[in-house]
Amino acid sequence: MTIRLLILLVVSLTSGVAWSQSSLPADGSFSAKGHLQYRSDSSGRLTLAQVWADSSHFQSVPGDIPQFGMGQPPAWFRCYVANRSDRADLLIAQIDYAHLQSVRFFMVSEQGHLLRQSAPLGWATPVANRPWQHHNPLFAFTLAPRQAAWLFVRADGGHTRLAFPLQVYHPAAFLRADRFKRSFYDYITGFLSFATFFSLLLYGLLRDRVYLFYTLYVLSGFLYLTATEGYWFVWIDSPTYGFMPAVDLAELSLYLLTLASFGFARWYIFEPVFHLNWLRRVFWLSVGALLVNSVLLFSLLGGPFYLAHKAAFHLLMSSMYLVSVLLMAGAGLWLGLLAARSAATGPARLYMMAISPAVVQVILGYLRNNNLIDDHFFIREGVALTALLEFAILSVGLGFRYKFIADERQQLTVEAVKQKQQLLVSQLKAQQDELRATQALLYAQQEKERISRDLHDHVGAQLSVIAASANTPTSEQASRMGDYAREAMQSLRDTVWAIDQPAITLAGFRSKLQQYLNRQQQQHPACTYTLTMTTPANPELTSAQALNLFRQVQEAVHNAFKHAHATAITVVCTLLASELHLSVTDNGRGFNPGKLADGSAHYGLRNLQRRADEMGGTCCIESEPGRGTTVLVTIPLAD
């Protein structure tokens, strides 16, 4: 028995001597190869003395970073540390993984004496109760000058993966490295915070659900990165977060991140082609598999079934997760590369370019968690870098999408305003047409009344005289009846002349006045009739204006000859600006207009004023007893 213990001690010492040249560097650089050994503790009851006494079960770590997959039994690790200087050396050992269930450090001399040990540490240990208030397990120890020792560590991953990235630092180097890593994640989380605010702002402006899902996507990405790194153990110093253990926050955030990415993909790239049956099936199959996976995972963790089948359980769950992610990535790849004419092609290509590194990360993480490949930097810190790249690309793409939508909405707004203006113009035109139709009807009615009144005033009156004298006419009455008949016929011709044409030039109007005055000159040679017109020939009068002006001249000439006994009558017509001035002046006996009573005896004068009012003009009568009379009519002409 003594010989066997002696042999075991010699093997242990020779093993220590063999590894004395392979101690971990104290600058934080880490490679497990050649520096670290491990042995599994499948029973979970091995003590330090048993592990020290039996060194033959230790074996070299094959990769740079020890990774033993999900649900593995506890393991013992050891490495050789040495101080080759002439002064004491303070070192800090760190396991750069915050989710281990239990970690304990032991410092053992080369002779097998326990020099120092730590209290059990793990994710459930409140940060305030740790020697160092840090999210990772830390162990500080001092080596005397020229002293060498063994660092043993017992680590248990629980239901998470068992990873053991051990690093040894001098205090100053540890502070620099820790500050750099915190700054690294601060920059990334700061960018994610900005992206969250940016997308939420765009959602508030556009009310487009793509930006809402992108906000959830970025928020869950922020949660996943910080939870994976272990910052929530410091931010919320509690072993449980409501209904779940704190260690499961990283797992939950991963499912939230994936679900948010599915929702974002649904509205960002699948919306134009979501009517395709196969695409809808792929989407809901992926979402359903992810939901079932998350429900099973969080309901069975720590239960008897899980403890009895940990490896198979994690393999099944991780495989379902991988399949759901690959299905969605495959659908996006099909839209981006194969459906060249699809409306979703551009967004799909941008989306695939953004998430391709993340999909590679998912595949590598699946292989790592099932202990099929070694852990390395690209799988660990690379997750944060790929997330930064992904959200940066998507943020730029969504920014251009916002500009496109904003421009499109502005164009639609401009078109809507134009359409509204066109509608208003068409409505105004319709109203104007309706108004013109109404005015035409009113004008026709006025024309009927005017024609009937004109016929009544002139032709009717003359015909009445003829009818009164027709019973027993004397020779004088017969002669007068002939005169009245001719006057009635002439009045009828004048009325027909006016209403037979829509517009009458001033030249035509002048000719008509001259004909009338010539007839008067023939009938009454004792009176002189003169016409003066200083107007261009082009301006036109409406038929109503021409007939009213002509009747006013007739009325004024008739009054001047019959009542004023004038021997000279002058008619003057001038055009000033857009107004036509027509005056009839006689040298008769005149009268006082102010003393005239409003009676039937002055019907002719009132008729002059009424006709002027119908044309929108004025009629002014200037007269004095013994000084003649001037009738001045002013009417506006259309431009």
Side-chain angles (χ1 to χ4, degrees), residues 309-355:
H309 307 88
K310 287 194 295 185
F313 179 77
H314 280 288
L315 177 61
L316 175 62
M317 296 296 103
S318 58
S319 299
M320 289 177 62
Y321 175 82
L322 179 64
V323 168
S324 64
V325 172
L326 292 181
L327 281 175
M328 288 292 291
L333 183 64
W334 180 85
L335 288 176
L337 300 181
L338 302 181
R341 295 183 179 180
S342 169
T345 300
R349 289 178 178 174
L350 179 69
Y351 181 71
M352 288 308 302
M353 180 175 66
I355 71 167

Side-chain angles (χ1 to χ4, degrees), residues 159 243-256 290-303 306 313-314 317:
H159 65 265
F243 65 93
M244 68 176 180
V247 72
D248 293 335
L249 179 62
E251 196 77 22
L252 176 63
S253 61
L254 176 61
Y255 284 97
L256 293 177
L290 194 64
L291 291 175
V292 170
N293 192 7
S294 59
V295 170
L296 290 176
L297 182 64
F298 290 102
S299 62
L300 297 178
L301 278 178
Y306 165 77
F313 179 77
H314 280 288
M317 296 296 103

